[in-house]
């Protein structure tokens, strides 16, 4: 079945630094990947749609200059949280659409201290 | 604005009980409704429903969609403690280029 690999699974960073999260489709090509954020005890909220070879589409209220998305190949999308602040601490999950529908990565728990 | 509403938000039952989880939605250009189980990490896929009235089953879990009433239910029979999790309902739109809209989830606790 379709597998999406996400790294790192957990990261702690200092306020003001940047963090990059990678999302890879391992056995299929994904022209579109999605990035979600989940705060504690809340549901997943779509942040942006990552399109291979073109600019990402951001949901309302998500700062594109803060959450940089790059989708340079059909198997890799990256999300960079720039100038991270404690309020950016959250669970970030990527997803890709393949033959079996929507497949999720294992998520990245970001803690900004 | 697309909306997915799940109920109840939390539920505590005893092992062996049967539970029904509800999901209602309002979405433009509906394509599919999906159910996921989330324990500690990312959601794991349970069902995808696109047609009304066709029940999907997987072991003790089953789900059905009513596109007229914009509603879906997820049933779990003979519950076990391993069924304890957050169950998420999500809706996808036509085209497949859009991400999913999730409900807040139902936090299910199965007591021994």
């Amino acid at each position: 079945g379709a597998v999406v690999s996400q790294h790192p699974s957990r990261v702690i960073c200092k306020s003001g630094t940047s963090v990059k999260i990678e999302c890879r489709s391992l056995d299929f090509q994904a022209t579109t990947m999605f990035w979600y954020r989940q705060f504690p005890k809340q549901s997943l909220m779509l942040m942006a749609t990552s399109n291979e070879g073109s600019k990402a589409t951001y949901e309302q209220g998500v700062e594109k200059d803060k959450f940089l998305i790059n989708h340079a190949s059909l198997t890799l999308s990256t999300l960079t949280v720039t100038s991270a602040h404690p309020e950016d601490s959250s669970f970030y999950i990527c997803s890709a659409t393949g033959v079996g529908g929507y497949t999720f990565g294992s998520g990245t728990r970001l803690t900004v201290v | 604005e697309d909306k997915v509403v799940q109920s109840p938000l939390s539920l505590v039952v005893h092992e062996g009980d049967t539970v029904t989880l509800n999901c209602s939605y309002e979405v433009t250009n509906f394509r599919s409704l999906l159910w996921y189980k989330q324990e500690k990490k990312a959601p794991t896929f349970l069902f995808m429903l696109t047609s009304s009235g066709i029940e999907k089953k997987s072991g003790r879990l089953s789900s059905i969609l009513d596109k007229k009433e914009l509603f879906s239910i997820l049933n779990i029979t003979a519950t076990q403690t391993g069924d304890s999790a957050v169950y998420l309902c999500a809706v996808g739109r036509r085209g497949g280029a859009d991400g999913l809209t999730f409900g807040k989830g139902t936090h299910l606790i199965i007591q021994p």
Side-chain angles (χ1 to χ4, degrees):
Chain A
V3 177
V4 173
S5 173
Q6 186 173 342
H7 294 281
S9 59
R10 181 181 292 268
V11 59
I12 301 173
C13 71
K14 289 186 176 180
S15 189
T17 60
S18 295
V19 173
K20 181 186 282 188
I21 303 169
E22 290 190 350
C23 180
R24 292 180 185 273
S25 56
L26 295 187
D27 48 1
F28 66 101
Q29 294 182 332
T31 54
T32 303
M33 290 187 176
F34 306 98
W35 288 96
Y36 296 85
R37 180 168 53 184
Q38 186 177 35
F39 291 107
K41 299 195 177 180
Q42 297 199 16
S43 193
L44 281 76
M45 295 295 293
L46 180 66
M47 296 175 66
T49 301
S50 170
N51 304 298
E52 186 269 335
S54 65
K55 290 183 180 179
T57 306
Y58 290 82
E59 296 299 301
Q60 196 170 12
V62 178
E63 300 173 58
K64 63 179 181 181
D65 295 329
K66 181 171 182 61
F67 298 99
L68 301 179
I69 291 173
N70 185 282
H71 195 153
S73 78
L74 286 170
T75 60
L76 174 64
S77 175
T78 60
L79 168 68
T80 302
V81 183
T82 62
S83 187
H85 291 285
E87 55 264 33
D88 297 324
S89 299
S90 187
F91 191 52
Y92 293 85
I93 311 176
C94 68
S95 169
T97 49
V99 174
Y102 297 86
T103 302
F104 285 86
S106 54
T108 297
R109 185 159 305 280
L110 170 64
T111 303
V112 184
V113 298
Chain B
E1 184 181 333
D2 295 346
K3 195 188 300 184
V4 178
V5 179
Q6 290 186 247
S7 64
L9 291 180
S10 65
L11 183 59
V12 181
V13 300
H14 287 102
E15 212 168 11
D17 289 351
T18 293
V19 297
T20 298
L21 310 183
N22 307 298
C23 178
S24 64
Y25 63 91
E26 291 176 31
V27 63
T28 54
N29 299 317
F30 173 86
R31 177 187 185 217
S32 58
L33 185 144
L34 301 94
W35 284 97
Y36 289 88
K37 178 182 182 182
Q38 186 176 28
E39 293 173 271
K40 290 185 178 176
K41 289 196 172 180
T44 53
F45 173 78
L46 295 175
F47 299 109
M48 182 167 73
L49 305 159
T50 56
S51 301
S52 267
I54 299 173
E55 185 182 48
K56 292 211 171 180
K57 292 196 72 165
S58 176
R60 296 177 292 103
L61 277 67
S62 64
S63 183
I64 196 162
L65 174 68
D66 184 335
K67 290 170 75 173
K68 185 178 176 185
E69 298 296 326
L70 309 183
F71 191 82
S72 175
I73 60 172
L74 173 69
N75 277 321
I76 308 175
T77 60
T79 53
Q80 301 170 358
T81 55
D83 295 327
S84 296
V86 175
Y87 289 84
L88 297 169
C89 173
V91 175
R93 288 185 282 180
R94 287 193 189 282
D98 293 338
L100 298 173
T101 300
F102 281 85
K104 291 186 176 181
T106 294
H107 189 189
L108 177 63
I109 297 174
I110 311 297
Q111 292 182 334

